[in-house]
Amino acid sequence: MIDAEQLKQQAIELKFHGVQAHWHELTQAQYPWLETVLNWERQERKQRSLERRLSHAKLGRFKPLTEFDWQWPDKIDQKAIHALMQLDFLTGANNLILLGGNGVGKSTLAQNLGYQAVMRGHTVLFTTAANMLNDLAALDSDNALRRRIKHYAKPALLIIDEVGYLSYSNRHADLLFEIVNQRYEQRSTLVTTNRPFAEWNDVFPNAACVVSLVDRLVHHSEIIAIEGKSYRMKEAKEQAAERRSRQQGGAK
């Protein structure tokens, strides 16, 4: 037996104004058909919402967690990473720092966390530190800058990749502080970095806000340290060896 009031409430939530206006004309025999139509609409909107969130997240191509080589890093807390995939840190607006050298999988793990968050209905934005800071620094108008800062401050999860690979000016440091400060205790920020925080003065030389920036990032945060050699270098060496093997085989 279909609950007519529940069906009507679904039509209201989906903003089917025509159905609402002519509700009194519906017969009980038409309820199953209407229920099917409402389910179609709900599923289609859910799918479109997912596609929009994935598009806006800018995650790019990445290796899924099922293909991650957990044996390659010398040190990685696999259990902690899997626990983070439950996304409990988003509930408390906590931050996450992935710290490690080049090629140990920080970006891949960050992208997987972002993807999981999108699939769970959260808004996500993935960006490199260089792209975000250069984007903001290029704006001359105060109004345009405020709107762009809001763009980075708004997502439930902001992923800032590759902090520490380049050095930045004081203006860049101030812009990063503004983003982190606006998100502080409101929304989660995930940062990947190859530099311990004690070296961030080298990333933002002479910037007065570095101590405050780090303080807001690490407060209510979990820091995952990953140690090991570059997996990309490992793959490059393996591919080079395969090419040499094929060339030698073809020469015989």
Side-chain angles (χ1 to χ4, degrees):
M1 188 72 176
I2 296 176
D3 188 327
E5 284 302 315
Q6 186 178 31
L7 203 61
K8 185 177 182 179
Q9 184 59 37
Q10 291 176 13
I12 292 172
E13 291 173 357
L14 290 171
K15 295 182 172 59
F16 274 35
H17 301 300
V19 172
Q20 296 173 50
H22 296 274
W23 187 262
H24 62 283
E25 300 175 25
L26 292 172
T27 65
Q28 192 167 8
Q30 293 172 316
Y31 288 164
W33 170 83
L34 179 59
E35 183 180 45
T36 299
V37 171
L38 292 177
N39 284 336
W40 285 345
E41 183 66 21
R42 188 162 48 249
Q43 290 302 317
E44 182 64 21
R45 291 189 187 186
K46 183 178 179 181
Q47 181 62 30
R48 289 186 179 184
S49 176
L50 173 60
E51 291 171 357
R52 281 195 302 271
R53 291 196 310 277
L54 278 172
S55 176
H56 293 162
K58 308 293 184 185
L59 292 171
R61 296 179 62 185
F62 60 93
K63 182 182 294 185
L65 200 62
T66 53
E67 298 179 14
F68 190 86
D69 186 355
W70 297 100
Q71 303 305 314
W72 177 252
D74 297 329
K75 174 187 174 183
I76 186 170
D77 193 335
Q78 183 177 354
K79 186 177 180 180
I81 297 296
H82 282 296
L84 288 170
M85 292 295 166
Q86 301 304 311
L87 306 177
D88 292 338
F89 69 97
L90 291 180
T91 305
N94 295 329
N95 296 331
L96 177 60
I97 313 297
L98 299 181
L99 170 64
N102 298 343
V104 295
K106 303 185 301 297
S107 298
T108 296
L109 294 174
Q111 288 166 308
N112 273 274
L113 281 162
Y115 180 78
Q116 188 69 14
V118 170
M119 298 304 290
R120 296 279 190 91
H122 300 285
T123 54
V124 175
L125 178 59
F126 181 97
T127 180
T128 64
N131 285 345
M132 182 181 74
L133 296 178
N134 289 334
D135 175 33
L136 292 171
L139 298 173
D140 296 325
S141 162
D142 288 342
N143 288 334
L145 181 58
R146 280 195 295 270
R147 286 194 299 270
R148 201 59 181 164
I149 287 176
K150 185 177 180 181
H151 168 74
Y152 291 107
K154 187 176 180 180
L157 175 61
L158 174 64
I159 302 173
I160 307 174
D161 196 30
E162 300 180 349
V163 177
Y165 290 80
L166 300 172
S167 294
Y168 298 96
S169 68
N170 290 357
R171 173 164 167 74
H172 288 100
D174 291 340
L175 290 168
L176 181 57
F177 174 78
E178 183 64 24
I179 296 292
V180 170
N181 190 49
Q182 286 201 19
R183 298 180 60 81
Y184 178 60
E185 296 187 328
Q186 301 297 319
R187 299 173 183 85
S188 296
T189 303
L190 190 166
V191 170
T192 75
T193 180
N194 64 334
R195 298 282 197 100
F197 290 116
E199 297 180 6
W200 275 35
N201 281 316
D202 297 329
V203 180
F204 303 101
N206 304 317
C209 66
V210 173
V211 173
S212 298
L213 168 63
V214 171
D215 181 66
R216 281 163 176 74
L217 273 177
V218 300
H219 191 216
H220 308 308
S221 75
E222 182 167 357
I223 301 175
I224 303 291
I226 308 171
E227 297 176 3
K229 298 178 181 178
S230 172
Y231 191 82
R232 287 191 293 270
M233 185 63 70
K234 169 182 176 288
E235 287 186 323
K237 289 180 178 179
E238 289 174 348
Q239 290 168 3
E242 288 179 7
R243 286 194 298 270
R244 286 195 300 270
S245 178
R246 287 195 300 268
Q247 290 170 357
Q248 291 169 359
K252 293 179 181 179

